[in-house]
Amino acid sequence: MKKRIFLLLCLFISVKMYAQDRLITNIGARKALSLNGTWQYIVDPYETGFYDYRYKELDEKNPDAYWNTDIPKNKTEKKEHGYIDKYSLQVPGDWNHQKPEFLYYEGTVWYRKTFDFHPADGATKYYLYFGAVNYRADVYLNGKKLGMHIGGFTPFNFAIPTSLLKEKGNYLVVKVDNKRGADEVPTLNTDWWNYGGITRDVKLVEVPPTFIQDYVIQLKKPEPGKAPSASPEVEGWVKLNNVKAGELINISIPELKFKKQIAATGQITKVSFNLPKLQLWSPEHPKLYQVSVSAGVDKIEDKIGFRTIEAFGKQVLLNGKPVFMRGICIHGEIPLDVRRAVGPDDAKQLLNQAHELGCNMVRLAHYPHDEAMTRMADSLGILVWSEIPVYWTINFASPAVLDKAKAQLKEMITRDHNRASIIIWSVGNETPISPTRTDFMHKLIIRAKELDQTRMISAALEVNYGSMKDMNIVDDPLGAFVDLVAFNEYLGWYGGLPDQCRKTNWSTPYNKPLFISETGGGAKGGFHADSLTRYSEEYQEWYFKEQVAMLKRMPDSFVGITPWVLNDFRSPKRNNPVYQEGWNRKGLYDDKGTKKKAFYIMQAWYKEIENKFSH
Ligand code: GCB
């Protein structure tokens, strides 16, 4: 019994440790065998492949376990599971859109892929990398468990013992479980569909025995209120896996004729240097530099932009100058295909839609989107708010839930800490005020600041409606800890009609920039009526007209807005059989990609602001 508890403890610690420390970043630049493509599957709502008939986890070698071979040893052996092509799914991709019978499926699906493999010459290490699996992944290779990961939107990797890899017929099995749970992040209740599956890339990554696991090469946090100097300072670090004493690290930026060599001081080596003649990254000029980092035989290339960002008094300064964020919220979904977004084409499509609206910023709601999205934002020059799915009624009292949220926060920041486009890490959305919640969220903010001192930290806060006549106050106690006081408001949609905006004003007791992280109303694309008719395009258009008029009266601290939402998106909470049919209809584009009337209201206002800021 004691031994079992000890083993469980070890497993728990290793799962925790994993989430903290083992992620390899910039995976796209690594030599890898892609394991994307066709995988066979078994749907297993009762988890028969995982538990025995007494609901005890099956032993690793048990032939009934679905991670073990489905080929009977001889004709007398009974097999009650098997993988065949008739049942196959494409990876990356959620399962819900791939088969009609999966439309509302939540639970366990086993994925299996076989592959051949030719080991590289010389000493090499291999990792199995997943861009994201929603929500829990148990990963087995040739009958051995490599590890388990929870969190549906962040990457993870497991080291593969080289002795486990065979030249022919490797048998890779992933148990994917997207059952929602009260003590999970997100929790049971969300206003979006819980797409399941191996939703992002899978790769077998090859690295030398000592390799560059991660690095931060970004401009140092500026002196408060100051623009970067003519030769701004980079402050960062390089993390070597299996570092050797005295290993030399080289950093170069050929376009700037910059080269630096330093000796590793340990696993993490701090670096700092100045970059004369640097062109700063901004939405108007999204300059990226080719940066290369090498150590021993390992070399990695990245494209990095350099800029500063800070909340200073009641303003947000980008490269020392005030910026107004003309944004939009985006779900990671392609409505036309009714599926999760993945890869550069989807990223381009979504960001181009935002661009057409006149945006210089996007809020990636409500979870970390695909890495292709933040990389595309870097190259298109779009500022990004990136968020973890601490949404609504997470179990704030649970230390285990806090650990899960922290692990996702760490993975989100680690994956993307070199993306110039990201200016805000958000630790959550619309969390209900209570001392327990505030303590939980405060701990996340502290953690985010430990992980990254150069970006703003925020969260979508709660509003105190009508506390003073005609005045709504954003005084959520969490406001004391965030850099940007952001809030969601739906005046004229949830309660009342849009004309309430005429007499409403906004304020906050915090001496910080104020940001509207959501506002919106629903309309079924193509449904036209008078503006008092709910779900008509005309109602939504009226809503945004009244909002814009109100926004023009916002206090000076108002620094930007991300209306809700770019596209209609799937939500099982939206059950009006005529206008919703399982879709949240607050998109400025409908689910077929057609612009609704409200789109043009926001577009015109964004044009006005852009002109004002550029003159
Ligand atoms: C919100 C939530 C968002 C919902 C939206 C709505 O405040 O943050 O996830 O989808 O409202 O449509 O009600």
Side-chain angles (χ1 to χ4, degrees), residues 191-192 331 363 366 391-392 429-430 488 490 494 518 564 569 574 584 586:
D191 186 23
W192 72 81
H331 258 296
R363 174 179 178 217
H366 284 294
Y391 183 90
W392 289 354
N429 179 71
E430 282 184 358
N488 300 347
Y490 285 86
Y494 294 123
E518 284 176 34
W564 191 252
F569 62 93
R574 307 294 172 175
N584 183 314
K586 297 192 186 71

